[in-house]
């Protein structure tokens, strides 16, 4: 199936051609036709499956130029609002629609003048309410109300804001709700915003067809050595190593450098300038390995990342999804490998309980134990050797080679 077979208006098709979108993803194939028919839709699919275009394409089709604000898209964070707006602008290029982003932390002025001219508004709930209270947003013509990343918006406590916004827009609009995860609670809540909604759930993401997920059990003290071993064995074209704190990022990247692996740190403690230089060098493939925190990696859009290493397991399931969404983009194949120490199991189990991922266990095999210097750079004390493993020791992983399929194995069995 191509976009051309989906009865999409010419100007929108032209825009899609212009950005190289030819084949719709699963969620797009399933939702676009019923959205075009006018149904409310609750769409669930994983990160990286193309949800933005699933609602963005029919939205741009439905909206007419100079018809006032007809589309209202809510997103949990300003970064997401920006990303969505950029993507929708691309779809509407030939049609010449104006898309206004609206979020807090910046002055109201430019947003207010943009709101007078635009046809589509993408924003965070709080700032949209501010504009509603000031009467700087005219929502009388809204035909489509879209909640993106609904799960995150609920988790972040936006439910009352969303309800307030909903009271201020026409009742006879179409409502679309998209989310990577869907709980019964969320469905219950969203029933209030939707009417006879069709629920669509697609399993495979673009990336999942080619992205393989693995985990490896390892003692915390041997994690770094295993990481070096895996990097040498896997030889990533481009890889990202995720850590849970800035301090861990600094320590891991410094130790990698000590072991001859060219890795650069990326976290929020670096100056904007430094961060941009690091990202640039990664985009260009000069830096092959990036050691990053979740927050810092959020803005990255790198097509050729082949490997994700979870040096620490994120506390939130969304962060895990976002991490693995960084690889296997645009048809490349990729691997995500989580290094699990005893402390990581609880977090990992929670993530696996929430998603239907297939994750296989891999064996650590034999590898050399390397010293790991803990960083105390924030106190200006440089590094010291924190472990007393002697060089040259090798360690044998345990020998259970069974692969874990989170769907088929009893969930409670995760340690
Ligand atoms: P999600 O919201 O489900 O996480 P996105 O909408 O952010 O996914 O899409 C993920 C990536 O895939 C983006 O870079 C997007 O431009 C790209 N993409 C989406 N749909 C298509 C398509 N049909 N063809 C090519 N690339 C696509
Ligand atoms: Mg999205």
């Amino acid at each position: 199936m191509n976009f051309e077979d989906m009865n999409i208006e010419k100007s929108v098709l032209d825009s899609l051609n212009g950005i190289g979108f030819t084949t719709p993803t699963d969620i797009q194939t399933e939702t676009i036709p019923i959205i075009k028919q006018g149904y409310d839709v609750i769409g669930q699919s994983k990160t990286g499956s193309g949800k933005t275009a699933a609602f963005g394409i029919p939205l741009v089709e439905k909206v007419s130029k100079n018809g006032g604000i007809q589309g209202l898209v809510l997103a949990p964070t300003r970064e997401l609002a920006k990303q969505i707006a950029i993507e929708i602008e691309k779809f509407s290029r030939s049609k010449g629609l104006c898309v206004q982003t609206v979020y807090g932390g910046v002055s109201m002025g430019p947003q207010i003048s943009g709101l007078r001219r635009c046809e589509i508004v993408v924003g965070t709930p709080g700032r949209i309410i501010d504009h509603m209270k000031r009467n700087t947003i005219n929502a009388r013509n809204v035909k489509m109300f879209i909640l993106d990343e609904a799960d995150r918006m609920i988790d972040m406590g936006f439910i009352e804001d969303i309800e307030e916004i909903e009271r201020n827009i026409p009742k006879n609009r179409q409502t679309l709700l998209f989310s990577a995860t869907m709980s019964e609670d969320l469905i219950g809540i969203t029933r209030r915003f939707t009417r006879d909604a069709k629920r669509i759930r697609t399993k495979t993401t673009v990336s999942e067809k080619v992205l393989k997920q693995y985990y490896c059990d390892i003692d915390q003290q041997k994690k770094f050595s295993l990481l070096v071993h895996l990097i040498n064995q896997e030889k990533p074209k481009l890889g990202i190593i995720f850590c849970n704190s800035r301090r861990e990022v600094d320590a891991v990247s410094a130790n990698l450098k000590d072991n001859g692996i060219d890795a650069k740190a990326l976290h929020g403690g670096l100056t904007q300038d430094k961060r941009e230089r690091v990202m640039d060098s990664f985009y260009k493939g000069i830096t092959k390995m990036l050691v990053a925190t979740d927050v810092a990696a959020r803005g990255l859009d790198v097509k050729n990342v082949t490997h994700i290493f979870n040096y620490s397991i994120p506390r939130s399931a969304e962060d895990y999804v976002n991490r693995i969404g960084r690889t296997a983009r645009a048809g490349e194949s990729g691997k995500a490998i989580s290094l699990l120490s005893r402390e990581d199991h609880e977090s990992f189990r929670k993530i696996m309980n929430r998603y239907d991922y297939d994750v296989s266990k891999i064996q650590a095999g034999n590898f050399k134990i390397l010293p790991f210097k803990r960083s105390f750079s924030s106190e200006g004390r440089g590094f010291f050797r924190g472990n007393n493993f002697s060089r040259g020791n090798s360690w044998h992983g345990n020998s259970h080679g069974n692969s874990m399929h989170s769907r088929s194995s009893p969930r409670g069995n995760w340690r």
Side-chain angles (χ1 to χ4, degrees), residues 218-383:
I218 189 72
D219 285 352
Q220 183 65 33
Q221 291 161 311
K222 294 171 182 159
K223 242 185 198 182
F224 177 74
S225 307
L226 176 60
L227 175 69
V228 172
H229 170 71
L230 288 171
I231 293 171
N232 289 332
Q233 186 176 285
E234 293 284 329
K235 301 186 174 53
K237 206 159 102 191
L238 284 183
I240 306 177
I241 299 153
F242 280 100
C243 298
N244 284 356
S245 68
R246 293 173 182 185
R247 196 181 153 125
E248 194 172 53
V249 165
D250 283 333
V252 169
S253 61
N255 280 281
L256 284 174
K257 269 176 234 154
D258 276 3
N259 285 281
I261 293 169
D262 176 32
K264 288 213 163 63
L266 183 72
H267 60 61
L270 306 172
T271 62
Q272 181 69 18
D273 187 51
K274 173 77 181 160
R275 273 207 310 245
E276 272 163 25
R277 267 184 286 135
V278 171
M279 285 200 231
D280 197 50
S281 144
F282 192 58
Y283 286 140
K284 290 181 178 143
I286 299 165
T287 297
K288 306 261 184 253
M289 298 298 301
L290 210 58
V291 189
T293 57
D294 292 289
V295 177
R298 210 153 277 163
L300 280 176
D301 186 16
V302 194
K303 300 278 182 222
N304 313 322
V305 174
T306 54
H307 288 75
I308 299 291
F309 296 96
N310 290 315
Y311 191 79
S312 305
I313 304 305
R315 269 168 282 277
S316 96
E318 286 73 20
D319 281 334
Y320 182 85
V321 174
N322 283 321
R323 287 181 181 188
I324 65 168
R326 301 269 139 243
T327 182
R329 295 196 149 208
E332 290 261 346
S333 61
K335 283 186 184 178
I337 305 176
S338 295
L339 309 187
L340 303 187
S341 67
R342 192 188 295 272
E343 303 89 85
D344 296 318
H345 271 262
E346 180 61 15
S347 311
F348 198 63
R349 187 185 54 74
K350 279 192 188 142
I351 296 165
M352 291 303 126
N353 280 348
R354 189 154 172 193
Y355 294 95
D356 285 330
Y357 288 136
D358 284 345
V359 184
S360 308
K361 178 168 180 156
I362 50 167
Q363 297 305 319
N366 290 336
F367 59 88
K368 196 170 160 186
I369 296 297
L370 304 165
F372 184 73
K373 296 178 248 167
R374 261 163 242 283
S375 162
F376 282 90
S377 54
S378 56
E379 285 121 60
R381 282 159 57 190
F383 294 93

